[in-house]
Amino acid sequence: MTTTSPAATTGGARVRVQRFGTFLSGMIMPNIAAFIAWGIITALFIDKGWVGNDGPIEAWRWADSAILGGGTIGDTDYTGLVGPIISYLLPLLIAFTGGKMVHGHRGGVVGAVAAFGVIIGAEGTVMFLGAMIAGPLTALILKWVEKPWQGRIKPGFEMLVDNFSAGFVAFFASLAAFFWLAPIMKWVTEILGGAVGWLVDTQLLPLASIIVEPAKVLFLNNAINHGVFTPLGTEQSAQTGKSLLFLIEANPGPGLGLLMAITVFGVGAARATAPGAAVIQFLGGIHEVYFPYVLAKPTLLIGLIAGGATGVLTNVVFQSGLVAPAAPGSIFAVLFQIAPGSHLGVLLSVVLAAAVTFVVCMPILLASRKRDLAAEGGDAAFAAAIAQTEANKGKKSSVLGTLGGGTAVATRRIQNIVFACDAGMGSSAMGASVLRNKIKKAGIEGITVVNQAIANLDGTADLVITQQQLTDRAKSKSPDSIHVSVDNFMNSPKYDEVVEMVRDQEEK
């Protein structure tokens, strides 16, 4: 556990990729509900959907005749919602969110206008990548343009100046996006789509697991998933009604197989905590809960790669996939987004991925079992792996922090506690709930415990709890806060230390 210290500047390609992935995730994750809604419409009402293209129209005609005594309605095609939502609404939401992250609401507005230029200029190509660039970039330009006169405008003229400056920036950015950015992004999208198509046609896509699985453990998955798989997968889904790209990173099978193998063949603290971690990972979709187990024994990556590749290959063979992203990567989210006719392939991809991971990890665990038992049940290595996991993530984690030790020293009065992670959901929400319950049981009142994304830290938190890999990034966003590093969000002794620290200040 660490206490307040000056914000450290983190370097290295890994940290930069993490930050980039976090930014991409920050644009996608708040809009997942819109992806889910689009996925439902697509799954139900495309030609090969559950209801079919004419289902809603025929049902309306029957109700109109039976209840209202007749009348007519147009031959509106309900699937007319599918194209506009994916072509316009989803990219605009992404662009607005990205612009807002850079320069508030006005940044979101100019970002959305610029994104519309790249959407129209791309002539029907799904412009997720273009929106991810146009939205934040235009907001940043607005921020730069307005910087010279910030605080120098006479009272009463602020609104006039702000609106006109934003309007002109949006105008020029939309033109630039239409004439210059759109052709470039259309070309890039075609190149990426062609590369993925070639991998699918040659059945080499399972090799992607060689990159994806290690990247997940190093918290680089957001850049891969939200920067590549989600945009390309959504475009594929719009064309064919499904995409297996949504399951390359989000498949919960490999993580389940790993944790089940540790439950059966592991030792010490790893074995004791693995069953609970499996429930959280498989049902809750919080994959990072299994990362410390891999870092404690890196050879387990072989099992994860084998399992992930098996899952991808299964979907390739059965030509199965999801209609929209499964976020978080829970089995419930996967089941909800299965495309019509893909149930067998998708379910097998999860089951076989878990089974292969379990079988491959079994001899790895058995080969080192005697050595792990001699080393105090492997607890020391597991604790070190938890710390390494947090170091890889670049900040503290509420999901992982419950496995480590250490004592915190309060350097300021604690009233506002924040659990921070990449997306501000999932693991941080779980950790916040655990600590909130502990504080309530201790009879302590007046303490606020919330969860949020690291990017949204504004320096007002008294205590920030993160995974060790993410601590430095949290410190840079909130340097004056007390920072606590945790390894696992389930049963960390550090939560009890935080409660005692808060109790002590109440008694003074």
Side-chain angles (χ1 to χ4, degrees):
M1 189 174 292
T2 60
T3 55
T4 306
S5 63
T9 302
T10 57
R14 176 181 56 79
V15 173
R16 288 193 291 271
V17 173
Q18 285 176 356
R19 287 176 174 169
F20 178 65
T22 299
F23 189 79
L24 295 178
S25 177
M27 284 191 280
I28 296 291
M29 292 303 292
N31 299 306
I32 284 296
F35 280 87
I36 292 175
W38 175 80
I40 295 172
I41 294 172
T42 302
L44 289 176
F45 301 119
I46 60 174
D47 289 336
K48 297 181 180 180
W50 295 110
V51 176
N53 204 7
D54 298 327
I57 302 301
E58 295 303 322
W60 176 266
R61 285 191 175 126
W62 178 86
D64 186 38
S65 176
I67 299 174
L68 302 179
T72 60
I73 64 170
D75 294 327
T76 303
D77 184 355
Y78 193 80
T79 54
L81 288 176
V82 174
I85 288 177
I86 189 175
S87 297
Y88 303 111
L89 177 60
L90 295 181
L92 290 176
L93 284 174
I94 291 171
F96 177 84
T97 304
K100 186 177 181 181
M101 291 168 62
V102 173
H103 195 47
H105 188 89
R106 296 170 62 249
V109 172
V110 298
V113 175
F116 205 80
V118 74
I119 291 169
I120 299 301
E123 299 178 334
T125 304
V126 178
M127 272 292 99
F128 284 151
L129 295 178
M132 287 179 172
I133 294 174
L137 181 58
T138 305
L140 185 61
I141 292 173
L142 176 63
K143 189 175 182 178
W144 287 340
V145 167
E146 293 183 334
K147 189 174 181 179
W149 61 75
Q150 286 297 315
R152 300 179 180 178
I153 305 299
K154 292 183 178 181
F157 290 89
E158 296 92 347
M159 183 178 294
L160 179 66
V161 174
D162 287 348
N163 284 337
F164 270 88
S165 63
F168 276 108
V169 168
F171 166 71
F172 286 112
S174 64
L175 292 180
F178 181 88
F179 288 107
W180 297 323
L181 182 59
I184 295 174
M185 296 313 303
K186 185 175 182 180
W187 175 75
V188 170
T189 300
E190 289 175 352
I191 293 295
L192 292 175
V196 172
W198 178 79
L199 290 173
V200 173
D201 294 339
T202 57
Q203 295 191 344
L204 293 178
L205 194 58
L207 296 179
S209 296
I210 298 175
I211 298 174
V212 172
E213 296 302 332
K216 288 178 67 175
V217 177
L218 296 174
F219 292 94
L220 305 178
N221 53 307
N222 282 334
I224 296 174
N225 194 32
H226 298 306
V228 179
F229 292 148
T230 295
L232 294 180
T234 306
E235 184 167 6
Q236 282 188 358
S237 182
Q239 297 171 353
T240 65
K242 61 188 175 185
S243 175
L244 61 83
L245 298 179
F246 294 132
L247 271 175
I248 294 179
E249 188 269 347
N251 190 334
L256 177 65
L258 170 75
L259 293 170
M260 288 295 96
I262 294 173
T263 300
V264 178
F265 305 107
V267 297
R271 182 176 185 178
T273 57
V279 173
I280 293 171
Q281 187 268 341
F282 191 67
L283 301 183
I286 304 174
H287 289 205
E288 66 189 67
V289 71
Y290 71 77
F291 297 172
Y293 301 88
V294 181
L295 290 173
K297 198 175 294 296
T299 50
L300 293 175
L301 269 175
I302 299 173
L304 288 173
I305 293 172
T310 300
V312 176
L313 180 60
T314 302
N315 283 312
V316 170
V317 171
F318 282 85
Q319 297 185 348
S320 53
L322 307 184
V323 295
S330 162
I331 185 61
F332 297 121
V334 171
L335 292 173
F336 193 77
Q337 299 289 7
I338 294 180
S342 291
H343 280 75
L344 178 60
V346 170
L347 291 177
L348 276 178
S349 74
V350 176
V351 172
L352 293 178
V356 169
T357 302
F358 180 91
V359 170
V360 175
C361 289
M362 177 178 64
I364 297 173
L365 292 168
L366 289 176
S368 61
R369 183 178 178 84
K370 185 179 295 186
R371 182 173 63 253
D372 292 340
L373 287 170
E376 296 181 353
D379 291 351
F382 187 48
I386 290 170
Q388 183 61 45
T389 303
E390 292 183 341
N392 289 341
K393 192 171 183 181
K395 64 181 180 183
K396 303 292 185 181
S397 170
S398 58
V399 176
L400 302 174
T402 54
L403 297 181
T407 303
V409 178
T411 57
R412 59 190 287 180
R413 186 169 183 82
I414 300 172
Q415 290 182 312
N416 181 20
I417 301 175
V418 174
F419 276 78
C421 66
D422 273 338
M425 308 179 218
S427 61
S428 59
M430 182 75 69
S433 177
V434 172
L435 182 58
R436 197 179 296 120
N437 289 334
K438 285 182 175 289
I439 291 176
K440 183 178 180 180
K441 290 180 180 179
I444 302 173
E445 298 180 352
I447 304 298
T448 301
V449 182
V450 299
N451 56 283
Q452 61 182 220
I454 287 182
N456 295 332
L457 291 175
D458 55 8
T460 60
D462 300 313
L463 175 67
V464 178
I465 303 177
T466 51
Q467 287 170 319
Q468 289 177 358
Q469 295 90 333
L470 303 176
T471 299
D472 288 338
R473 288 163 54 194
K475 286 181 178 179
S476 67
K477 298 293 292 186
S478 188
D480 295 327
S481 303
I482 301 170
H483 288 269
V484 173
S485 300
V486 294
D487 303 316
N488 187 290
F489 59 80
M490 294 178 294
N491 295 303
S492 174
K494 295 184 182 179
Y495 290 167
D496 295 326
E497 294 172 9
V498 171
V499 173
E500 287 301 319
M501 185 165 49
V502 175
R503 193 202 306 273
D504 289 343
Q505 78 175 12
E506 296 296 321
E507 294 175 351
K508 292 181 180 179

